[in-house]
C-alpha cells in the first residue's frame, strides 16, 4: 500500500499568501489568493500552468504573472482557465490534437 503524507506548502505560508480557492487538474494544481494573484504547480507538459513549457514539471508553487486581478480559476484534465476582473477569460493547455495554448491566450467575454 502506498502511503502519502500531508505537507504544508511553506512557500505560500512563509509569504503570508491567503488562498481562497484551489482547483486540481489531472496532474496540476492552481491556487487563487485573496489578493487576486494565482499560483500553479505540477505537470506543465502542454502548458497547462500558463508558463513556458521549458518548465515541464513544477514541484513547488510559482506565482503566475498576468498583471490583472484574477476572480476565478478552473482546471481541466490538461488545461486551465482564468477569469479576470476585466471580464477576460484566459485559457492555457491542451484542447485537442490540433489546438494547444502554450501560454495564457485570452478570449474576451462580453455580458
Amino acid at each position: 500500500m502506498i502511503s502519502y503524507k500531508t505537507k504544508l506548502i511553506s512557500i505560500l505560508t512563509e509569504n503570508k499568501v491567503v488562498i481562497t480557492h484551489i482547483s486540481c487538474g489531472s496532474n496540476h494544481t492552481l491556487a487563487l489568493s485573496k489578493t487576486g494573484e494565482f499560483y500553479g504547480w505540477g505537470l506543465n507538459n502542454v502548458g497547462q500552468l500558463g508558463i513556458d513549457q521549458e518548465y515541464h514539471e513544477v514541484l513547488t508553487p510559482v506565482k503566475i504573472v498576468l498583471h490583472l486581478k484574477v476572480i476565478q480559476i478552473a482546471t481541466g484534465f490538461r488545461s486551465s482557465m482564468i477569469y479576470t476582473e476585466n471580464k477576460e477569460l484566459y485559457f492555457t493547455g491542451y484542447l485537442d490534437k490540433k489546438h494547444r495554448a502554450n501560454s495564457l491566450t485570452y478570449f474576451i467575454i462580453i455580458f
Side-chain angles (χ1 to χ4, degrees):
M1 181 170 84
I2 298 174
S3 176
Y4 296 98
K5 290 183 180 181
T6 303
K7 184 178 177 183
L8 184 65
I9 302 173
S10 60
I11 194 164
L12 296 175
T13 56
E14 288 170 3
N15 293 312
K16 298 181 181 176
V17 176
V18 177
I19 298 300
T20 59
H21 184 75
I22 292 180
S23 184
C24 300
S26 176
N27 290 299
H28 71 292
T29 301
L30 294 183
L32 178 62
S33 77
K34 184 178 182 178
T35 60
E37 299 171 323
F38 71 106
Y39 299 79
W41 63 97
L43 202 58
N44 188 50
N45 61 322
V46 292
Q48 58 265 56
L49 293 179
I51 59 175
D52 192 332
Q53 275 188 270
E54 173 184 330
Y55 304 100
H56 183 75
E57 186 174 18
V58 179
L59 300 178
T60 58
V62 294
K63 184 177 174 182
I64 301 167
V65 179
L66 189 58
H67 302 293
L68 294 168
K69 184 176 180 181
V70 175
I71 303 298
Q72 193 171 358
I73 55 173
T75 53
F77 183 68
R78 292 190 287 176
S79 61
S80 300
M81 296 184 86
I82 296 91
Y83 184 66
T84 70
E85 68 180 347
N86 296 351
K87 297 183 179 177
E88 294 175 336
L89 182 65
Y90 289 75
F91 171 86
T92 189
Y94 185 81
L95 281 171
D96 59 33
K97 291 180 183 180
K98 294 181 183 179
H99 302 93
R100 285 187 187 183
N102 296 328
S103 61
L104 290 173
T105 306
Y106 75 94
F107 304 93
I108 298 175
I109 304 295
I110 302 172
F111 291 105

